[in-house]
Amino acid sequence: MRLLVPLDILPIRLDKFLAEQLPQYSRVRLQEGIESGEIKVNQTIVTQKLKLKGGEAIEVELLHESVLPDQPEAIPLRIIYEDESILVLNKPAGLTVHPGAGQKAGTLLNALLHYLPSLANLPRAGIVHRLDKDTSGLMVVAKTEVARLHLIKALKTHDVERKYIAVLHGELLSGCTIKAPIGRHPVNRKKMAVLEHSARAKEAVTHVRVLQKFKNFTAIEASLETGRTHQIRVHLAHLGYPLVGDKLYGKKQGLIQFPRQALQAIKLEFEHPVTHKPVLFEIEPECDLAELLKVL
């Protein structure tokens, strides 16, 4: 496997960079690979403390583990668009994006490996961003390393426009911009939280526009300036307007019963990694969300 370090990257240790790019390996295994020469930088054996400055070529040939141990699985994909460089899909609610500690199979990554086996040559099978398991909607997947690096850079520089529709508990008076840093919850490790004065928190910005008001509920459009874990769910719950159906950050089900958080990624716009022309994808609300809005 060959990794190209982005030219505009901030100086970063080799082992830390590899841990971010190759989550299927443990940090210990990556460090062993560097020391043994299974991992080289610009065709040279280096140490794990090497500082990458951008533009380096990293060759990864780990001998004792599969490069991508995850197995292909015949899970249906709802593909919106595909060309030689990218694949845009509509992820259904209930589908986890990639394997983790709580789920080793049955994920979008496994489905992608079955649909296109060549994605095994890319970190995370070309997945460059994620949606929560019970959030549905648009995602873009890279099919080449050039496309992957381009999309990662665009996400980091906030050049990918992502818009969501959501239904909240409570009557939000007007649209707003929420600027509140998010980090891991200090007590419940499954949750994220707004942490105003913590070095562990990262900047998070969400723009909210009211679409329709109902009695005790509000339908909104949210757009992300940053992409923190659970960002929309955490920000709205922090303001006192948790998402309908959100079991982690919400309230007990009342008159409205909804089996998941009422959140869907409905718009995705970015510069194509090859043509460099803007591309835009939009979808309608899922049947369950549409029915929820109808009931309200």
Side-chain angles (χ1 to χ4, degrees):
M1 180 189 298
R2 189 168 188 264
L3 301 177
L4 298 176
V5 182
L7 291 171
D8 59 348
I9 195 172
L10 294 175
I12 183 173
R13 274 180 47 148
L14 173 61
D15 57 348
K16 184 177 180 182
F17 175 80
L18 289 172
E20 293 176 353
Q21 296 294 312
L22 304 173
Q24 63 267 36
Y25 294 106
S26 66
R27 180 70 71 93
V28 171
R29 181 67 187 99
L30 291 169
Q31 290 171 344
E32 290 175 349
I34 296 169
E35 296 300 322
S36 67
E38 296 170 279
I39 298 175
K40 297 179 181 179
V41 177
N42 294 335
Q43 300 182 336
T44 302
I45 296 176
V46 295
T47 69
Q48 63 194 38
K49 295 182 180 180
L50 173 73
K51 281 287 184 70
L52 300 173
K53 298 180 179 178
E56 295 90 345
I58 303 175
E59 299 291 338
V60 180
E61 296 182 1
L62 296 179
L63 302 179
H64 304 300
E65 291 186 23
S66 170
V67 172
L68 192 63
D70 305 293
Q71 297 300 309
E73 295 182 52
I75 300 170
L77 292 172
R78 299 190 292 180
I79 297 173
I80 302 298
Y81 172 83
E82 182 177 10
D83 61 25
E84 293 182 354
S85 302
I86 61 172
L87 184 154
V88 177
L89 55 89
N90 181 7
K91 186 191 84 68
L95 181 64
T96 301
V97 170
H98 49 70
Q103 185 171 349
K104 298 297 185 183
T107 71
L108 174 62
L109 186 147
N110 300 106
L112 288 169
L113 291 177
H114 180 270
Y115 177 74
L116 195 63
S118 61
L119 290 176
N121 296 316
L122 296 177
R124 296 197 179 195
I127 296 171
V128 293
H129 66 121
R130 63 185 294 273
L131 294 174
D132 298 335
K133 177 181 179 180
D134 288 325
T135 298
S136 59
L138 293 171
M139 291 183 62
V140 59
V141 175
K143 293 174 64 176
T144 68
E145 179 67 358
V146 170
R148 191 182 75 87
L149 292 175
H150 179 95
L151 291 169
I152 288 174
K153 178 181 177 182
L155 286 161
K156 286 184 177 180
T157 55
H158 313 311
D159 291 326
V160 177
E161 184 176 0
R162 292 169 286 172
K163 289 190 176 181
Y164 298 72
I165 186 173
V167 181
L168 316 176
H169 285 282
E171 298 178 28
L172 188 63
L173 294 178
S174 64
C176 60
T177 294
I178 308 169
K179 295 183 178 180
I182 291 175
R184 185 68 59 183
H185 194 286
V187 178
N188 187 341
R189 305 305 291 172
K190 292 182 179 181
K191 298 176 68 173
M192 307 299 288
V194 168
L195 304 174
E196 297 286 3
H197 306 289
S198 173
R200 296 178 299 162
K202 295 182 179 180
E203 177 191 19
V205 181
T206 304
H207 303 286
V208 177
R209 181 169 71 91
V210 173
L211 296 177
Q212 194 170 1
K213 296 180 183 180
F214 308 97
K215 184 178 180 180
N216 300 322
F217 299 92
T218 308
I220 66 159
E221 178 186 84
S223 58
L224 296 180
E225 199 168 302
T226 54
R228 308 305 174 205
T229 301
H230 301 173
Q231 179 172 317
I232 294 173
R233 299 163 64 192
V234 172
H235 270 171
L236 271 302
H238 178 68
L239 287 189
Y241 300 93
L243 273 62
V244 169
D246 193 334
K247 299 177 179 63
L248 191 58
Y249 300 101
K251 54 177 68 175
K252 291 182 179 180
Q253 299 276 17
L255 295 176
I256 296 295
Q257 301 289 322
F258 201 70
R260 64 178 180 101
Q261 61 258 14
L263 181 64
Q264 179 182 342
I266 59 169
K267 180 179 179 181
L268 190 60
E269 186 173 10
F270 54 91
E271 180 188 88
H272 192 281
V274 175
T275 67
H276 300 294
K277 293 181 179 180
V279 289
L280 168 65
F281 304 95
E282 290 184 281
I283 56 175
E284 295 295 323
E286 294 285 350
C287 293
D288 58 353
L289 263 178
E291 182 63 24
L292 173 61
L293 292 169
K294 182 179 177 181
V295 168
L296 291 175

